[in-house]
């Protein structure tokens, strides 16, 4: 396995934000069968070490391509645009106001007559925001407008974090 290839090449996918997730999963299973360290249990130390490295590389590549946010960050990294996710910020005041409103809505879910229904509505809204940002990123990336695509990724960080908080509250409310 050639670990100098980019993740898209490893999985035989076009270098694009829009990818076939079923093809990704299928190729992942194939690669795992090929490089799984158990297949090299009776091999020499070097082969065993390489198998572990290859399996780790395949797992890392799969995780990056499977997640829309990680895939967007990776695509930008491939064209030389990198930013620390901790420093993700935006100056879009309308977006920031929307974030404040969504966070306020999240904080008030428990106080609603039907907290589960309120959380469902919020979850749908957050999912719609994510979908819209993914469309924007794909469009900007394909146009080669990487600075605009980075702005969208920064917004995606905010929404993904909010989506995780919505999921955590859902677990709490439903006592999973």
């Amino acid at each position: 396995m050639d670990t100098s290839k980019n993740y898209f090449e490893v999985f035989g996918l076009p270098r694009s934000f829009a990818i076939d997730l079923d093809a990704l999963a299928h190729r992942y299973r194939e690669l795992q069968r090929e490089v799984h360290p158990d297949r090299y249990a009776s091999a020499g130390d070097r082969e065993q070490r390489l198998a572990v490295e290859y399996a780790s590389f395949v797992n890392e590549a799969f995780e990056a391509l499977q997640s829309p946010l990680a895939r967007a960050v990776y695509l930008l990294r491939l064209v030389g645009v990198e930013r620390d996710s901790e420093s993700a910020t935006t100056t879009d005041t309308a977006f920031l106001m929307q974030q404040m409103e969504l966070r306020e809505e999240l904080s008030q879910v428990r106080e609603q007559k039907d907290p589960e229904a309120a959380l469902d509505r919020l979850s749908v809204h957050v999912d719609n925001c994510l979908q819209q940002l993914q469309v924007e990123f794909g469009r900007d990336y394909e146009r080669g407008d990487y600075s605009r695509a980075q702005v969208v990724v920064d917004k995606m960080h905010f929404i993904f974090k909010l989506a995780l908080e919505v999921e955590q509250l859902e677990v709490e409310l439903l006592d999973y």
Side-chain angles (χ1 to χ4, degrees), residues 102-118:
L102 290 171
R103 291 196 171 281
E104 183 176 340
E105 191 175 333
L106 178 64
S107 72
Q108 296 173 352
V109 163
R110 292 179 196 274
E111 301 160 10
Q112 301 297 314
K113 273 205 248 183
D114 187 352
E116 289 178 22

Side-chain angles (χ1 to χ4, degrees), residues 3-170:
T3 57
S4 68
K5 289 182 175 181
N6 72 51
Y7 297 161
F8 294 94
E9 292 170 331
V10 168
F11 284 95
L13 295 170
R15 191 162 143 177
S16 172
F17 184 67
I19 62 171
D20 181 341
L21 292 174
D22 290 334
L24 173 68
H26 178 74
R27 182 68 180 131
Y28 173 71
R29 288 188 298 276
E30 288 177 348
L31 288 170
Q32 278 299 311
R33 283 192 293 273
E34 291 174 23
V35 300
H36 197 279
D38 289 349
R39 291 192 65 200
Y40 298 88
S42 62
D45 288 343
R46 181 178 186 282
E47 289 84 7
Q48 289 178 7
R49 189 179 67 254
L50 285 173
V52 169
E53 285 178 26
Y54 293 156
S56 176
F57 180 72
V58 166
N59 287 336
E60 179 183 303
F62 178 71
E63 291 298 320
L65 295 182
Q66 185 180 39
S67 160
L69 176 58
R71 185 178 337 120
V73 168
Y74 183 70
L75 281 165
L76 288 175
R77 195 172 95 209
L78 288 176
V79 296
V81 178
E82 289 194 56
R83 186 176 326 182
D84 180 12
S85 65
E86 297 299 317
S87 67
T89 188
T90 183
T91 57
D92 182 336
T93 54
F95 178 79
L96 292 172
M97 287 300 295
Q98 176 194 44
Q99 291 305 294
M100 289 174 49
E101 290 168 4
L102 290 171
R103 291 196 171 281
E104 183 176 340
E105 191 175 333
L106 178 64
S107 72
Q108 296 173 352
V109 163
R110 292 179 196 274
E111 301 160 10
Q112 301 297 314
K113 273 205 248 183
D114 187 352
E116 289 178 22
L119 189 60
D120 284 344
R121 284 189 302 276
L122 178 60
S123 181
V124 166
H125 189 137
V126 169
D127 287 344
N128 289 338
C129 290
L130 281 172
Q131 291 297 318
Q132 179 183 352
L133 289 171
Q134 289 174 36
V135 168
E136 286 180 40
F137 176 84
R139 181 193 63 227
D140 293 337
Y141 180 82
E142 296 303 323
R143 286 184 190 159
D145 190 348
Y146 304 131
S147 60
R148 176 69 192 132
Q150 180 60 59
V151 169
V152 176
V153 166
D154 290 345
K155 291 178 181 181
M156 288 171 73
H157 279 286
F158 281 95
I159 298 291
F160 267 89
K161 185 176 179 185
L162 180 60
L164 289 174
E165 292 173 22
V166 168
E167 286 178 20
Q168 289 171 344
L169 182 55
E170 182 178 32

